[in-house]
Amino acid sequence: MPADKPDRPDSTEIRIADHEFRRFRDFLYRRTGIVFSDAQRAYVERRLTDRILAAGSRSFSEHFARLLVEPDELERLISAFTVNETYFYREDYQLRCLTSNLLDRITARKRRGQPIRLWSVPCSTGEEPYSIAIWLLENWSRVDSWDIEIIGSDIDVRALDAAQDGVYSERSLMRLPRPLVAKYFTAMDGGRYRIDEALRGSVQFSQVNIIDQADTGRWRDIDVVFCRNVLIYFDDMARRTAANNLYDCLAPGGYICLGHTESMSRISPLFHVCRFPEAIVYQKPWEDSHA
Ligand SMILES: C[S@@+](CC[C@H](N)C(=O)[O-])C[C@H]1O[C@@H](n2cnc3c(N)ncnc32)[C@H](O)[C@@H]1O
């Protein structure tokens, strides 16, 4: 007897036509700033097909229509296309710059009681904002005398859930000195580690799309933005939009730290370039000519 045809299509039954690929790619770009080239079509199609099947849609057009009205499916789709690669103490030369230079300059202009606001955006699964917290506890002697707010934001809600959960693999912890792993983490089954409750409580997580001014507009008076390793996935226009949005979030004189392959000089003329012995960072001028 012939087997019944399964209710759900398999991956070979989902076909993405050229115009559908272009439509989807434009849609993803407008929502996230992330750019995919023609050469990445197979990669995009594989991920998209996986999402179509997992969501129980029968075709690209059915799924695309759902994306417009189902925010949960849109979030799952965005998660499928973000690159969340990160680890503790990544680009730690900037953390050294923070405690050797930036914080002295920031606190010199602040009154006691005014918070210092540090923003890791995008923070992916939390390694970056937690690294900032650990670094300050270990390396900044004035940590107890200032009110420090650490904020972690990302477009990807699944990454943010993992950040809040605070459970990490050995791979995430490979650059963190072992005594610090022992000091701030509890070993769990399966070679995983949970970050201490107190550290989890020290970072405030929220969803933010850095190319969406309505999202970034909720943040003001940030002293240092760590915006590392996301602009590489954007085109020039999305990079400029992100730079303008983050500029508006910074306090006058505030700093922005990019990833080591990224350079603000090629993106926006709004910032001053500051060359410190440890790192090059970008400063919003004290007098805001952009306002
Ligand atoms: C490679 S991770 C970088 C994490 C961390 N900053 C680091 O350097 O290790 C890139 C992150 O950018 C996030 N992302 C992509 N587009 C974004 C957008 N438009 N707004 C906010 N976050 C975005 C992704 O979800 C991903 O978690």
Side-chain angles (χ1 to χ4, degrees):
M1 222 168 64
D4 282 345
K5 191 169 168 25
D7 230 16
R8 292 212 170 157
D10 66 32
S11 58
T12 57
E13 292 174 55
I14 303 286
R15 293 258 175 271
I16 315 271
D18 291 354
H19 72 279
E20 290 174 331
F21 170 70
R22 285 195 299 274
R23 188 170 182 206
F24 177 73
R25 186 174 64 177
D26 292 351
F27 172 79
L28 202 61
Y29 171 68
R30 273 183 277 107
R31 295 295 171 131
T32 65
I34 301 172
V35 177
F36 289 104
S37 64
D38 284 339
Q40 289 167 294
R41 177 163 174 166
Y43 168 89
V44 172
E45 274 193 21
R46 208 165 40 244
R47 297 211 156 197
L48 178 57
T49 304
D50 285 351
R51 263 309 331 134
I52 291 173
L53 294 171
S57 302
R58 302 196 58 88
S59 65
F60 170 83
S61 52
E62 180 188 328
H63 197 68
F64 195 74
R66 286 180 59 186
L67 289 178
L68 304 177
V69 292
E70 289 181 27
D72 287 354
E73 182 48 34
L74 178 61
E75 281 181 350
R76 281 191 282 271
L77 180 108
I78 289 174
S79 273
F81 282 94
T82 54
V83 177
N84 300 125
E85 161 72 8
T86 186
Y87 43 88
F88 281 84
Y89 276 19
R90 185 180 197 180
E91 293 171 298
D92 56 357
Y93 59 91
Q94 285 179 347
L95 299 177
R96 226 166 285 127
C97 184
L98 178 70
T99 44
S100 324
N101 288 293
L102 305 187
L103 285 173
D104 284 346
R105 286 168 166 76
I106 290 164
T107 52
R109 296 255 191 166
K110 272 193 197 288
R111 286 190 312 277
R112 281 291 155 117
Q114 264 187 312
I116 298 170
R117 309 187 82 200
L118 310 175
W119 193 15
S120 162
V121 58
C123 68
S124 187
T125 39
E127 286 88 332
E128 188 174 89
Y130 289 136
S131 293
I132 296 169
I134 294 174
W135 183 271
L136 292 182
L137 289 169
E138 292 295 316
N139 297 287
W140 198 45
S141 57
R142 294 191 287 145
V143 70
D144 288 330
S145 41
W146 286 90
D147 173 14
I148 302 166
E149 286 177 17
I150 303 176
I151 306 148
S153 303
D154 202 281
I155 197 171
D156 181 350
V157 281
R158 286 204 310 190
L160 289 168
D161 286 347
Q164 253 147 353
D165 206 24
V167 176
Y168 295 102
S169 64
E170 283 280 3
R171 199 182 171 285
S172 275
L173 295 164
M174 65 197 170
R175 299 264 339 257
L176 199 64
R178 290 326 283 185
L180 297 186
V181 176
K183 187 168 171 186
Y184 294 109
F185 293 79
T186 307
M188 300 167 67
D189 289 344
R192 295 163 76 75
Y193 295 80
R194 166 159 270 147
I195 198 157
D196 283 359
E197 187 80 48
L199 274 173
R200 266 189 289 149
S202 72
V203 179
Q204 178 194 333
F205 289 103
S206 61
Q207 189 189 18
V208 170
N209 178 354
I210 54 170
I211 62 159
D212 183 348
Q213 205 178 18
D215 262 13
T216 56
R218 292 183 283 129
W219 303 96
R220 285 289 176 266
D221 290 327
I222 303 288
D223 293 298
V224 187
V225 171
F226 290 85
C227 181
R228 307 192 291 190
N229 304 307
V230 67
L231 300 180
I232 38 173
Y233 301 107
F234 292 1
D235 71 354
D236 285 347
M237 195 154 73
R239 284 186 193 121
R240 212 169 311 122
T241 304
N244 286 344
N245 289 347
L246 295 177
Y247 180 95
D248 290 337
C249 299
L250 281 169
Y255 298 95
I256 181 160
C257 300
L258 301 181
H260 76 284
T261 58
E262 299 160 326
S263 163
M264 188 58 88
S265 315
R266 289 198 293 269
I267 302 173
S268 162
L270 290 172
F271 297 85
H272 291 324
V273 180
C274 301
R275 290 171 202 280
F276 292 109
E278 303 85 1
I280 295 174
V281 304
Y282 304 91
Q283 186 177 32
K284 175 171 177 167
W286 287 101
E287 300 300 328
D288 184 1
S289 55
H290 179 61

